[in-house]
Amino acid sequence: MEPLRSPYLKSLEHRGFVQGVTLTDRTSNSPWCHYFGGLRYALPPTERWRKAQRLPPSYSYGTKDHPGQCAGAAGVCPQPSFPGLSLGEGWGEDCFQCNVWVPAGEPPKNGWPVLVFIHGGFLQFGTPNVFSAGALLGEAAFNAIIVMPAYRLGVFGFLYSSELEHDAATVSEPVGNQGFWDQRLALEWTRDNITLFGGNPSQITISGYSAGAYSVFYQLSYDIHLPEDQSIIKQACIWSNSPVAQPKAPTSAQTQFDELLSALDIPLTLSWADKLAQLRSVPSSKLLSVATGLKVNQFRPTTDSLFIQPTIFQSLDNGNIGRRIAARNIRIMLGECRDEGALYATWYPPQNDLDSLYNRLLADYPAPIVDKLVKLYYPDGKLPSGCRDWNCDAFGRIYADMQVYKMQRGLVHSLVLGGAAHLLYRYRIEYRLKCADNTIPPEWGVTHSTDQYIWMWGNGSALQTDEKSIIQHALIDPLTRFVHGELDIGWGTKSHREMRTLKSDGSVEIWQDGLWDEAMQVWKALRVVGEQGSAPIAKL
């Protein structure tokens, strides 16, 4: 049942006033929380593909008589469509806003703990506007501030080239990975402004789902290499994703950039400034249409040597990242769903043959990685036993292995190598809520994203009475204690090889990871593979 919404005026001291809404339970008439939607965390960049700008100290959201209107939604970056996700009109490149949920009532002495949640979508689509955290705060007593930022996606957030390097140098800004820099700005805004909402800036947990979880890894990797007084992240949740390999080298990014120019009939013989001038004049709708029509149409992170160092996977393999995480005592919750591959198989599926599957994987992973994967999974070039087809079943399985199952176990292995085993809280979800049927076919099982209805307490849909008690005990209560920084969260695992498992019947079991050994074989095979033009991956 939708909560009641009533205007709520909030003073943000030197930042002026904003008007959000109070969400109230219709049955009990008890307030759930206060919601502020479309709250700006940064100013747009001066040009497309430049860095967004921090809010200046003098920035004000509005006056008491004319407060900033924050009862709606964050901006939505132009993006391709995805089955079951209808975003409507109103897309725009100014998407530097976040949605904020604040518990009702007075904050504790040190302020509410804070959960920053980064939405998923393969870094190509998505928006925080499809998430609703009101019931999590109101019914499940989560008692923490939740911040969900929008950020640049696809070609708008992850284009990279030598031309953009020249351009960035003229204004002393970083080049590429702008979607990651947007997320970082949202984190910095949270640290600097969350006290105005009653939050505790020293108790920030970063979380993310799918590509948001992938983002969390890179945000964490960046954060732990900063001086401790500049570090923001205290804990992390990596839900259903993991890093796979060193992101593509600038040379690979340049090839994709040149293909985009050719598709837009922009001559490659022009100067770098003229190329960018023409490219920036292309309307966002046309740019999106052409970019998603390229052979390699996934615009993903680049090893830029600033946000992403060329040695990041060496630092995993030799335990350095694990040692830094252990030294700063950063706890990490991470895990998976039982049937991840069913939904993964729907994202730009290949034709029904091995060559098409190979080419589809090239959109996400470097060619040497794909070569090794194909040899590992299909040594004789044939479908494995029990695999129905190349374009759905085989693709879904290998993609889920790379996005979640095998690579996340590799990440765990690397963190343990650095002495961070005691900081890991692993889970597995085999239980599906009824409300997931509203968007995800039941026959897909407990597939990727079905558990978002668990983490978000229905995500705007009503839960059945028995479901509430099951997920409260199994995951929400421990998550709440985790975010609040409690030392004993009642997780139940005793080693990194164990996973807290929510079974299909609603019971909780501590499972000795039966997928570990197979995952280690794949992880170690990929560790000796490097992309030409990037740092080699160290052997174990």
Side-chain angles (χ1 to χ4, degrees), residues 401-417:
D401 278 355
M402 292 302 99
Q403 298 293 102
V404 187
Y405 295 131
K406 290 184 169 55
M407 297 301 100
Q408 190 169 101
R409 285 166 173 82
L411 173 61
V412 169
H413 166 81
S414 297
L415 296 178
V416 170
L417 185 65

Side-chain angles (χ1 to χ4, degrees), residues 368-412:
I369 292 289
V370 177
D371 289 339
K372 175 62 73 172
L373 284 175
V374 170
K375 290 178 182 178
L376 284 171
Y377 278 74
Y378 319 112
D380 58 1
K382 298 178 181 179
L383 280 172
S385 175
C387 200
R388 298 186 306 273
D389 50 47
W390 291 106
N391 60 327
C392 183
D393 198 11
F395 173 58
R397 291 187 191 193
I398 194 172
Y399 208 26
D401 278 355
M402 292 302 99
Q403 298 293 102
V404 187
Y405 295 131
K406 290 184 169 55
M407 297 301 100
Q408 190 169 101
R409 285 166 173 82
L411 173 61
V412 169

Side-chain angles (χ1 to χ4, degrees), residues 107-113 194-195 198-203:
K109 180 181 178 180
N110 294 325
W112 303 110
I194 207 64
T195 56
N200 182 355
S202 66
Q203 189 60 45

